[in-house]
Amino acid sequence: MRKIKYKKGRKLQHITLEYTGSHKEHETEMQLFVYDDADVVEYEKFTVLALNSCFDFSKNNWLNIHGLNDINLIKTIGAHFNLDDFLLADILNTTKRTKLEEQSDVLFFNIKSLLPSEHSDNISVEQLSFIVKDGILISFQEKRSDFFAHIRERLRTHAGIVRTKKVDYLLYLLLDAVMENFYITIENEEDKIEDLINLTKKEAKPVILEKIENHRDNLSFLKRSIVPLRDSLYYLKTIKDDDENNGLIQKETFNFFIRLHQKSLELLEQIESDMSALESASNFYFSEQSRKMNEIMKTLTIISAIFIPLTFIVGVYGMNFENMPELKMRNGYFVVMGIMFLLVVALIVYFKKRRWF
């Protein structure tokens, strides 16, 4: 039976810089937004040659990187912003679980983005990592996707309050967008679970049980992905009154991260409810199997009960004793057949009155 788990990669040393994900065919690209309340500048085809000229540290800077294949580029980014090699290794090693890490002037956050795969019951996984420094947010994606398209549009059109806030609020928006994928995945699972429950009520085939177990694995995988996210958000929630993050997260922004923590709790509750529904479907499957088996056994028992007296009569008259009575009767055969027929009818009527079938 298929078991879903985090993608297994080669075990690496903590500071080994090697991409372990599966999206190795995607070319590394970069995009930069420099914005404040008054203006926004977008660099679509951003290169490392423009690192010194395009950043404006009097404004907010969002550098988004698609694709993690170019290790030299990642090293260059890390060296330019004085990022620890341990952080770069965590970005490239997609087997790591979700975590939050604070350093002296850096806040690091990575998260798994989960979405249902097309034309299958599998779940596609992508790791995203975020680094927050003073006035800078760097996001790392394994491949180009449209998770953040609406956020880019809000920056371009000055919709909402994102351009009036610091990059910590942008981090909240990005995490919230990734968490929306969890809702999409869970909703997709719920639709399939509902179809399975309805199918179970119509027929109890072994393939249904296999599908139930597959979706149970999916929900377990979702839970294993959300639990560390919940813990990280809770930790972020607890440092609200702690100034050790050097102002990387503004006091007023903590309330938004508290909302994300509440969302993670809601997601876990939803998963628990779905797993209970799957457990009920599984129990119903086995109950239906038992009921069908009981029906079969009851039918066979009734047939056996009807034929037992007939077998007795046939057995008696099958004995080869010479002086048995009734052997010389002219109509003995028809009399015995009539008695056997009446006996069958009587047993059927009796079983019917007892409601045995």
Side-chain angles (χ1 to χ4, degrees), residues 83 87 101-108 131-133 248:
L83 301 179
L87 293 184
E101 184 174 335
E102 285 185 282
Q103 294 185 0
S104 58
D105 61 343
V106 172
L107 183 69
F108 173 75
I131 289 179
V132 179
K133 290 174 67 74
L248 292 177

Side-chain angles (χ1 to χ4, degrees), residues 51-280:
L51 282 173
N52 293 319
S53 59
C54 294
F55 277 82
D56 186 346
F57 294 100
S58 65
K59 299 180 180 181
N60 298 314
N61 302 266
W62 174 27
L63 176 62
N64 189 39
I65 301 173
H66 301 101
L68 304 178
N69 297 312
D70 193 339
I71 305 300
N72 290 328
L73 185 147
I74 301 298
K75 287 181 179 179
T76 303
I77 295 292
H80 184 83
F81 293 104
N82 297 318
L83 301 179
D84 197 302
D85 283 347
F86 286 100
L87 293 184
L88 298 181
D90 285 342
I91 292 169
L92 295 171
N93 189 352
T94 59
T95 63
K96 297 287 187 179
R97 74 199 299 261
T98 295
K99 75 171 185 177
L100 170 70
E101 184 174 335
E102 285 185 282
Q103 294 185 0
S104 58
D105 61 343
V106 172
L107 183 69
F108 173 75
F109 205 120
N110 76 348
I111 185 174
K112 304 293 182 184
S113 174
L114 308 181
L115 280 171
S117 299
E118 295 183 3
H119 313 301
S120 76
D121 290 336
N122 295 335
I123 293 177
S124 62
V125 187
E126 179 186 350
Q127 177 172 287
L128 294 95
S129 302
F130 305 98
I131 289 179
V132 179
K133 290 174 67 74
D134 187 23
I136 302 171
L137 188 149
I138 309 174
S139 56
F140 298 84
Q141 298 178 247
E142 291 189 69
K143 60 185 179 67
R144 178 174 285 276
S145 57
D146 57 354
F147 299 159
F148 308 139
H150 64 289
I151 299 175
R152 296 188 186 96
E153 192 61 28
R154 288 172 69 174
L155 286 172
R156 295 179 184 121
T157 60
H158 205 331
I161 61 174
V162 59
R163 293 219 335 232
T164 65
K165 296 287 187 179
K166 300 293 184 181
V167 291
D168 56 339
Y169 181 77
L170 178 61
L171 173 64
Y172 155 72
L173 291 180
L174 299 178
L175 291 175
D176 185 58
V178 175
M179 290 185 71
E180 286 299 316
N181 293 342
F182 285 101
Y183 282 102
I184 293 172
T185 306
I186 292 176
E187 183 178 355
N188 180 74
E189 287 294 312
E190 287 178 339
D191 291 340
K192 293 180 179 179
I193 289 171
E194 185 177 355
D195 293 339
L196 268 180
I197 292 174
N198 294 332
L199 188 59
T200 305
K201 295 177 180 179
K202 295 179 181 178
E203 52 184 348
K205 294 182 177 180
V207 67
I208 296 177
L209 183 61
E210 182 178 352
K211 289 183 177 181
I212 289 175
E213 292 303 316
N214 287 344
H215 288 294
R216 199 196 310 274
D217 287 342
N218 284 357
L219 292 177
S220 297
F221 178 62
L222 280 163
K223 185 176 180 179
R224 293 199 308 272
S225 301
I226 296 174
V227 166
L229 173 61
R230 177 204 61 188
D231 296 340
S232 298
L233 291 171
Y234 179 78
Y235 174 75
L236 198 60
K237 172 183 172 183
T238 59
I239 63 174
K240 180 177 181 180
D241 299 322
D242 189 355
D243 293 330
E244 290 184 0
N245 59 10
N246 297 321
L248 292 177
I249 298 181
Q250 306 297 310
K251 295 289 185 182
E252 62 271 15
T253 311
F254 274 103
N255 291 330
F256 296 105
F257 289 100
I258 291 173
R259 293 181 187 177
L260 293 183
H261 180 253
Q262 291 296 324
K263 275 190 173 184
S264 68
L265 296 179
E266 292 173 4
L267 287 167
L268 289 173
E269 290 176 359
Q270 202 167 342
I271 289 174
E272 291 294 338
S273 175
D274 293 337
M275 292 186 79
S276 297
L278 270 181
E279 187 68 27
S280 299

